[in-house]
Amino acid sequence: MPGVRQVEVIAHRGASGYLPEHTLEAKAMAYAMGADYLEQDLVLTKDDIPIVLHDIHLDTISDVAQKFPKRKREDGRYYAIDFTLPEIKQLNASERFNHKTGKAVFENRFPAHQGSFRIPTLAEELELIQGLNISTGKSVGIYPELKQPEFHHSEQKDISKIVLNVLQEFNYTGQNDLCYLQCFDEKETKRLREEFKTELKTIQLLSDADWMSQSDLQEERNQRLQEIATYADGIGPSVNSVFRQAPRSDLPIATELTVDAHRHNLLIHPWTYRVDSLPKLFSSFEALHQATVLAGIDAIFSDFPDQSVELLTKLSESV
Ligand code: CA
Protein backbone atom coordinates (compact mmCIF):
# COMPACT_ATOMS: atom_id res chain seq x y z
CA MET A 1 0.00 0.00 0.00
CA PRO A 2 1.72 3.24 -1.07
CA GLY A 3 2.16 5.84 1.62
CA VAL A 4 1.69 3.43 4.50
CA ARG A 5 4.80 2.49 6.39
CA GLN A 6 4.88 -1.31 6.40
CA VAL A 7 7.92 -1.87 8.57
CA GLU A 8 7.43 -1.18 12.27
CA VAL A 9 10.13 0.46 14.36
CA ILE A 10 11.13 -0.90 17.76
CA ALA A 11 13.14 1.67 19.72
CA HIS A 12 16.13 -0.44 20.79
CA ARG A 13 16.71 0.36 24.51
CA GLY A 14 14.78 3.59 23.76
CA ALA A 15 16.30 6.33 21.62
CA SER A 16 19.64 4.92 22.71
CA GLY A 17 21.54 6.65 19.91
CA TYR A 18 20.83 9.96 21.66
CA LEU A 19 20.38 9.34 25.39
CA PRO A 20 21.69 6.72 27.84
CA GLU A 21 20.00 3.38 27.06
CA HIS A 22 16.95 2.30 29.05
CA THR A 23 16.55 5.57 30.95
CA LEU A 24 13.00 6.95 31.04
CA GLU A 25 14.37 9.99 29.21
CA ALA A 26 15.49 7.73 26.31
CA LYS A 27 12.04 6.12 26.26
CA ALA A 28 10.15 9.43 26.24
CA MET A 29 12.35 10.64 23.39
CA ALA A 30 11.75 7.46 21.37
CA TYR A 31 8.04 7.79 22.02
CA ALA A 32 8.07 11.36 20.69
CA MET A 33 10.07 10.23 17.66
CA GLY A 34 7.23 8.00 16.51
CA ALA A 35 8.53 4.53 17.40
CA ASP A 36 5.85 1.82 17.28
CA TYR A 37 7.32 -0.21 20.16
CA LEU A 38 9.70 0.63 23.01
CA GLU A 39 12.05 -2.13 24.16
CA GLN A 40 12.64 -3.16 27.81
CA ASP A 41 15.52 -5.51 28.68
CA LEU A 42 14.72 -7.01 32.08
CA VAL A 43 16.68 -8.40 35.01
CA LEU A 44 15.70 -8.93 38.65
CA THR A 45 16.95 -7.15 41.75
CA LYS A 46 17.76 -8.92 45.01
CA ASP A 47 14.22 -8.09 46.19
CA ASP A 48 12.66 -9.59 43.03
CA ILE A 49 11.76 -6.38 41.22
CA PRO A 50 12.15 -6.41 37.41
CA ILE A 51 14.32 -3.45 36.39
CA VAL A 52 15.05 -2.21 32.89
CA LEU A 53 18.70 -3.04 32.31
CA HIS A 54 20.50 -4.67 29.39
CA ASP A 55 22.92 -6.85 31.36
CA ILE A 56 22.90 -8.80 34.59
CA HIS A 57 25.77 -6.44 35.53
CA LEU A 58 25.43 -2.83 36.69
CA ASP A 59 29.01 -1.70 36.09
CA THR A 60 28.81 -0.82 32.38
CA ILE A 61 26.04 1.78 32.75
CA SER A 62 26.25 3.11 36.30
CA ASP A 63 28.51 4.40 39.07
CA VAL A 64 27.99 1.24 41.18
CA ALA A 65 31.78 0.71 41.50
CA GLN A 66 32.16 4.16 43.10
CA LYS A 67 29.07 3.99 45.32
CA PHE A 68 29.36 0.33 46.45
CA PRO A 69 33.05 -0.60 45.98
CA LYS A 70 32.83 -3.59 48.34
CA ARG A 71 29.89 -5.26 46.63
CA LYS A 72 31.62 -6.83 43.63
CA ARG A 73 31.78 -10.59 43.21
CA GLU A 74 35.00 -12.58 42.87
CA ASP A 75 35.02 -11.98 39.13
CA GLY A 76 35.20 -8.23 39.81
CA ARG A 77 31.69 -7.58 38.45
CA TYR A 78 28.69 -5.95 40.12
CA TYR A 79 25.47 -7.94 39.69
CA ALA A 80 22.02 -6.31 39.78
CA ILE A 81 20.74 -9.40 41.58
CA ASP A 82 22.99 -8.60 44.60
CA PHE A 83 21.37 -5.19 45.11
CA THR A 84 17.95 -4.19 46.45
CA LEU A 85 15.84 -1.71 44.55
CA PRO A 86 16.48 1.10 47.10
CA GLU A 87 20.22 0.53 46.54
CA ILE A 88 19.88 0.53 42.77
CA LYS A 89 17.90 3.76 42.99
CA GLN A 90 20.96 5.43 44.52
CA LEU A 91 22.94 4.82 41.33
CA ASN A 92 23.41 7.30 38.54
CA ALA A 93 22.80 5.71 35.14
CA SER A 94 25.18 6.60 32.33
CA GLU A 95 25.77 6.15 28.64
CA ARG A 96 27.32 2.68 28.18
CA PHE A 97 31.05 2.46 28.86
CA ASN A 98 33.77 -0.15 29.14
CA HIS A 99 33.80 -1.17 32.81
CA LYS A 100 37.59 -1.59 32.80
CA THR A 101 38.61 1.65 31.06
CA GLY A 102 35.55 3.85 31.70
CA LYS A 103 35.60 4.82 28.01
CA ALA A 104 32.30 5.25 26.13
CA VAL A 105 31.37 2.35 23.83
CA PHE A 106 29.98 4.72 21.16
CA GLU A 107 32.17 7.76 20.67
CA ASN A 108 29.75 10.37 19.38
CA ARG A 109 26.73 9.61 21.48
CA PHE A 110 25.65 11.21 24.78
CA PRO A 111 28.83 11.52 26.87
CA ALA A 112 29.46 8.77 29.44
CA HIS A 113 29.37 9.69 33.17
CA GLN A 114 27.37 12.83 32.43
CA GLY A 115 23.83 13.79 33.37
CA SER A 116 21.42 12.76 36.10
CA PHE A 117 19.63 9.53 35.20
CA ARG A 118 18.10 6.60 37.10
CA ILE A 119 17.63 2.90 36.35
CA PRO A 120 13.84 2.43 36.03
CA THR A 121 11.71 -0.49 37.15
CA LEU A 122 9.50 -2.22 34.59
CA ALA A 123 6.44 -0.83 36.39
CA GLU A 124 7.77 2.75 36.23
CA GLU A 125 8.36 2.41 32.51
CA LEU A 126 4.94 0.90 31.83
CA GLU A 127 3.34 3.77 33.77
CA LEU A 128 5.21 6.22 31.55
CA ILE A 129 4.20 4.53 28.29
CA GLN A 130 0.56 4.00 29.29
CA GLY A 131 0.35 7.61 30.51
CA LEU A 132 1.73 8.87 27.20
CA ASN A 133 -0.71 6.67 25.32
CA ILE A 134 -3.52 8.43 27.19
CA SER A 135 -2.17 11.97 26.84
CA THR A 136 -1.22 11.68 23.15
CA GLY A 137 -4.00 9.36 21.99
CA LYS A 138 -1.36 7.16 20.33
CA SER A 139 -0.93 3.42 20.87
CA VAL A 140 2.73 2.66 21.36
CA GLY A 141 3.57 -0.91 22.32
CA ILE A 142 6.08 -2.54 24.64
CA TYR A 143 8.73 -5.13 23.83
CA PRO A 144 10.08 -6.77 27.02
CA GLU A 145 13.07 -9.14 26.91
CA LEU A 146 13.75 -11.75 29.59
CA LYS A 147 17.50 -11.55 30.10
CA GLN A 148 19.45 -14.69 30.99
CA PRO A 149 16.67 -16.80 32.56
CA GLU A 150 19.21 -19.60 33.28
CA PHE A 151 21.28 -17.24 35.40
CA HIS A 152 18.15 -16.16 37.29
CA HIS A 153 17.19 -19.83 37.85
CA SER A 154 20.67 -20.49 39.24
CA GLU A 155 20.00 -17.67 41.74
CA GLN A 156 16.65 -19.30 42.65
CA LYS A 157 14.63 -16.66 40.82
CA ASP A 158 11.95 -17.18 38.19
CA ILE A 159 12.15 -14.04 36.07
CA SER A 160 9.42 -15.14 33.63
CA LYS A 161 6.87 -15.67 36.36
CA ILE A 162 7.60 -12.32 38.00
CA VAL A 163 7.60 -10.37 34.73
CA LEU A 164 4.34 -11.98 33.53
CA ASN A 165 2.72 -10.90 36.81
CA VAL A 166 3.78 -7.27 36.33
CA LEU A 167 2.59 -7.34 32.71
CA GLN A 168 -0.75 -8.67 33.87
CA GLU A 169 -1.07 -5.85 36.43
CA PHE A 170 -0.71 -3.46 33.51
CA ASN A 171 -3.25 -5.40 31.43
CA TYR A 172 -0.85 -6.97 28.96
CA THR A 173 -2.29 -10.48 28.68
CA GLY A 174 -3.62 -11.24 25.21
CA GLN A 175 -2.42 -11.77 21.67
CA ASN A 176 -3.98 -8.49 20.52
CA ASP A 177 -2.24 -6.43 23.19
CA LEU A 178 0.62 -4.26 21.96
CA CYS A 179 3.31 -6.39 23.53
CA TYR A 180 5.96 -8.77 22.23
CA LEU A 181 7.82 -10.88 24.77
CA GLN A 182 11.30 -11.83 23.59
CA CYS A 183 14.05 -14.15 24.80
CA PHE A 184 17.25 -15.73 23.44
CA ASP A 185 16.76 -18.84 25.57
CA GLU A 186 14.63 -21.24 23.56
CA LYS A 187 13.61 -23.34 26.56
CA GLU A 188 12.32 -20.26 28.32
CA THR A 189 10.40 -18.86 25.31
CA LYS A 190 8.76 -22.27 24.99
CA ARG A 191 7.98 -22.24 28.69
CA LEU A 192 6.08 -18.95 28.33
CA ARG A 193 3.63 -20.68 26.03
CA GLU A 194 3.60 -24.21 27.37
CA GLU A 195 3.88 -23.73 31.13
CA PHE A 196 2.52 -20.21 31.70
CA LYS A 197 0.07 -20.47 28.77
CA THR A 198 0.63 -16.84 27.92
CA GLU A 199 -1.31 -15.52 24.93
CA LEU A 200 1.07 -12.61 24.52
CA LYS A 201 3.00 -12.56 21.24
CA THR A 202 6.47 -14.04 21.61
CA ILE A 203 9.65 -13.59 19.60
CA GLN A 204 12.43 -16.17 19.60
CA LEU A 205 15.67 -14.22 19.48
CA LEU A 206 18.39 -16.05 17.57
CA SER A 207 22.09 -15.90 18.28
CA ASP A 208 22.89 -18.55 15.66
CA ALA A 209 21.00 -17.18 12.67
CA ASP A 210 24.15 -17.03 10.57
CA TRP A 211 24.04 -20.71 9.68
CA MET A 212 20.27 -20.49 9.25
CA SER A 213 20.63 -17.92 6.50
CA GLN A 214 22.96 -20.02 4.33
CA SER A 215 21.42 -20.76 0.93
CA ASP A 216 22.49 -24.41 0.90
CA LEU A 217 20.89 -25.21 4.26
CA GLN A 218 17.28 -24.74 3.33
CA GLU A 219 16.11 -28.01 4.78
CA GLU A 220 17.80 -27.50 8.16
CA ARG A 221 16.60 -23.90 8.25
CA ASN A 222 13.01 -24.88 7.58
CA GLN A 223 13.10 -27.61 10.21
CA ARG A 224 14.27 -25.12 12.77
CA LEU A 225 11.68 -22.51 11.74
CA GLN A 226 8.94 -25.12 11.88
CA GLU A 227 9.94 -25.99 15.43
CA ILE A 228 10.01 -22.31 16.48
CA ALA A 229 6.58 -21.76 14.91
CA THR A 230 5.08 -24.26 17.36
CA TYR A 231 5.56 -21.81 20.25
CA ALA A 232 6.55 -18.35 18.94
CA ASP A 233 5.08 -15.66 16.69
CA GLY A 234 8.34 -14.57 15.17
CA ILE A 235 12.12 -14.59 15.13
CA GLY A 236 14.67 -11.93 16.04
CA PRO A 237 17.89 -12.62 14.10
CA SER A 238 20.94 -10.40 13.66
CA VAL A 239 20.60 -8.02 10.72
CA ASN A 240 23.77 -9.64 9.33
CA SER A 241 21.91 -12.89 8.74
CA VAL A 242 19.12 -11.18 6.81
CA PHE A 243 21.31 -9.74 4.04
CA ARG A 244 24.18 -11.10 2.00
CA GLN A 245 26.30 -9.93 -0.87
CA ALA A 246 24.80 -10.60 -4.30
CA PRO A 247 26.93 -12.86 -6.50
CA ARG A 248 29.33 -10.90 -8.76
CA SER A 249 28.23 -7.61 -7.25
CA ASP A 250 28.78 -5.36 -4.24
CA LEU A 251 25.08 -5.01 -3.67
CA PRO A 252 23.44 -6.52 -0.60
CA ILE A 253 20.41 -8.71 -1.20
CA ALA A 254 18.10 -10.56 1.16
CA THR A 255 19.00 -14.04 2.34
CA GLU A 256 16.27 -16.71 2.26
CA LEU A 257 15.67 -16.30 6.00
CA THR A 258 12.87 -13.72 5.63
CA VAL A 259 10.93 -15.63 2.95
CA ASP A 260 11.28 -18.90 4.84
CA ALA A 261 10.23 -17.31 8.15
CA HIS A 262 7.11 -15.95 6.47
CA ARG A 263 6.42 -19.35 4.94
CA HIS A 264 6.16 -20.63 8.52
CA ASN A 265 3.94 -17.70 9.53
CA LEU A 266 6.74 -16.24 11.60
CA LEU A 267 7.38 -12.51 11.78
CA ILE A 268 10.96 -11.36 11.36
CA HIS A 269 12.36 -8.56 13.56
CA PRO A 270 16.13 -8.13 12.98
CA TRP A 271 18.54 -6.21 15.25
CA THR A 272 20.29 -3.75 15.42
CA TYR A 273 20.02 -0.73 13.10
CA ARG A 274 22.70 1.82 14.05
CA VAL A 275 23.69 4.78 11.92
CA ASP A 276 27.06 4.88 13.71
CA SER A 277 27.73 1.15 13.26
CA LEU A 278 26.36 -0.01 9.90
CA PRO A 279 26.37 -3.69 8.87
CA LYS A 280 29.46 -4.11 6.68
CA LEU A 281 27.53 -4.66 3.44
CA PHE A 282 25.88 -1.24 3.61
CA SER A 283 27.29 2.16 2.79
CA SER A 284 24.43 4.21 4.26
CA PHE A 285 21.55 4.01 6.72
CA GLU A 286 19.18 4.73 3.85
CA ALA A 287 20.50 1.79 1.76
CA LEU A 288 19.96 -0.48 4.77
CA HIS A 289 16.35 0.65 5.15
CA GLN A 290 15.76 0.37 1.41
CA ALA A 291 16.89 -3.26 1.45
CA THR A 292 14.71 -3.82 4.52
CA VAL A 293 11.58 -2.64 2.72
CA LEU A 294 12.44 -4.71 -0.36
CA ALA A 295 13.03 -7.83 1.73
CA GLY A 296 9.57 -7.53 3.32
CA ILE A 297 10.88 -7.44 6.88
CA ASP A 298 8.16 -6.83 9.48
CA ALA A 299 9.89 -4.70 12.13
CA ILE A 300 13.39 -3.54 13.04
CA PHE A 301 15.25 -2.75 16.24
CA SER A 302 16.74 0.74 15.82
CA ASP A 303 18.95 2.88 18.09
CA PHE A 304 17.84 5.86 15.98
CA PRO A 305 14.04 5.58 15.81
CA ASP A 306 13.57 9.08 14.32
CA GLN A 307 15.78 8.30 11.32
CA SER A 308 14.31 4.81 10.86
CA VAL A 309 10.74 6.14 10.96
CA GLU A 310 11.59 8.92 8.52
CA LEU A 311 13.42 6.67 6.05
CA LEU A 312 10.80 3.91 6.16
CA THR A 313 7.99 6.42 5.67
CA LYS A 314 9.76 8.04 2.73
CA LEU A 315 10.60 4.66 1.17
CA SER A 316 7.01 3.41 1.40
CA GLU A 317 5.81 6.58 -0.30
CA SER A 318 8.12 5.88 -3.23
CA VAL A 319 6.93 2.28 -3.69
CA1 CA B 1 17.27 -6.54 23.99
Side-chain angles (χ1 to χ4, degrees):
M1 229 185 301
V4 176
R5 182 164 52 85
Q6 301 283 338
V7 186
E8 292 192 297
V9 175
I10 306 149
H12 183 245
R13 312 182 198 170
S16 58
Y18 303 101
L19 276 167
E21 64 183 52
H22 285 320
T23 56
L24 292 182
E25 288 84 350
K27 300 299 163 72
M29 190 175 190
Y31 192 105
M33 286 174 161
D36 302 288
Y37 286 86
L38 307 184
E39 191 204 25
Q40 300 77 33
D41 290 312
L42 299 173
V43 304
L44 294 180
T45 62
K46 188 175 187 176
D47 42 352
D48 291 346
I49 312 290
I51 55 171
V52 187
L53 184 68
H54 180 264
D55 307 308
I56 55 176
H57 305 124
L58 288 162
D59 45 23
T60 52
I61 58 93
S62 82
D63 54 358
V64 66
Q66 284 78 51
K67 292 216 171 103
F68 296 96
K70 293 187 179 141
R71 301 279 294 276
K72 58 181 177 230
R73 289 195 183 185
E74 272 177 14
D75 62 2
R77 304 303 303 269
Y78 296 82
Y79 288 73
I81 214 157
D82 295 335
F83 293 81
T84 62
L85 184 62
E87 288 171 337
I88 285 171
K89 284 295 180 186
Q90 296 171 40
L91 303 176
N92 210 8
S94 157
E95 177 67 26
R96 175 167 290 271
F97 56 89
N98 180 307
H99 72 278
K100 288 184 181 145
T101 64
K103 253 188 79 188
V105 171
F106 292 96
E107 233 171 84
N108 295 312
R109 294 192 177 184
F110 197 92
H113 319 292
Q114 181 171 314
S116 178
F117 304 102
R118 294 288 167 268
I119 297 170
T121 64
L122 172 60
E124 287 168 340
E125 183 161 333
L126 297 182
E127 276 178 12
L128 174 76
I129 296 170
Q130 293 194 342
L132 282 167
N133 279 343
I134 290 170
S135 61
T136 65
K138 292 202 288 184
S139 303
V140 172
I142 64 167
Y143 210 118
E145 177 179 350
L146 303 160
K147 299 301 283 195
Q148 302 205 29
E150 269 306 322
F151 169 78
H152 284 88
H153 287 309
S154 74
E155 299 277 328
Q156 283 75 53
K157 291 191 191 299
D158 191 343
I159 185 170
S160 295
K161 188 174 173 202
I162 293 170
V163 166
L164 283 169
N165 282 339
V166 176
L167 293 177
Q168 186 167 18
E169 279 167 35
F170 283 84
N171 293 317
Y172 295 101
T173 54
Q175 57 181 347
N176 294 322
D177 293 333
L178 292 176
C179 173
Y180 285 99
L181 257 179
Q182 45 165 343
C183 191
F184 273 107
D185 185 324
E186 219 164 298
K187 268 207 323 262
E188 198 71 17
T189 320
K190 229 184 239 180
R191 202 176 157 232
L192 294 171
R193 197 71 96 214
E194 292 173 2
E195 185 180 329
F196 294 107
K197 314 270 183 231
T198 186
E199 290 175 17
L200 290 169
K201 294 185 283 279
T202 58
I203 297 291
Q204 181 61 57
L205 297 172
L206 299 171
S207 54
D208 61 344
D210 282 355
W211 75 258
M212 279 178 74
S213 60
Q214 289 174 37
S215 312
D216 55 343
L217 293 180
Q218 192 173 25
E219 198 179 322
E220 292 87 339
R221 173 170 58 251
N222 279 295
Q223 265 171 18
R224 177 114 154 89
L225 290 170
Q226 192 175 0
E227 159 67 14
I228 293 172
T230 62
Y231 65 88
D233 297 279
I235 55 170
S238 157
V239 63
N240 293 311
S241 63
V242 172
F243 301 108
R244 66 185 165 90
Q245 200 170 330
R248 292 175 297 280
S249 153
D250 285 344
L251 290 177
I253 55 167
T255 63
E256 285 82 3
L257 188 57
T258 300
V259 170
D260 284 345
H262 285 161
R263 188 177 307 159
H264 290 278
N265 281 324
L266 289 166
L267 298 164
I268 181 159
H269 294 179
W271 40 269
T272 304
Y273 287 54
R274 295 179 165 123
V275 71
D276 52 0
S277 177
L278 289 171
K280 57 182 181 315
L281 289 172
F282 291 92
S283 56
S284 74
F285 211 39
E286 176 154 8
L288 173 59
H289 286 76
Q290 204 155 19
T292 297
V293 172
L294 284 175
I297 284 163
D298 302 289
I300 60 166
F301 287 89
S302 177
D303 282 8
F304 298 86
D306 56 336
Q307 297 186 48
S308 291
V309 166
E310 191 188 329
L311 285 168
L312 291 168
T313 306
K314 186 179 95 177
L315 290 161
S316 11
E317 277 161 5
S318 65
V319 169

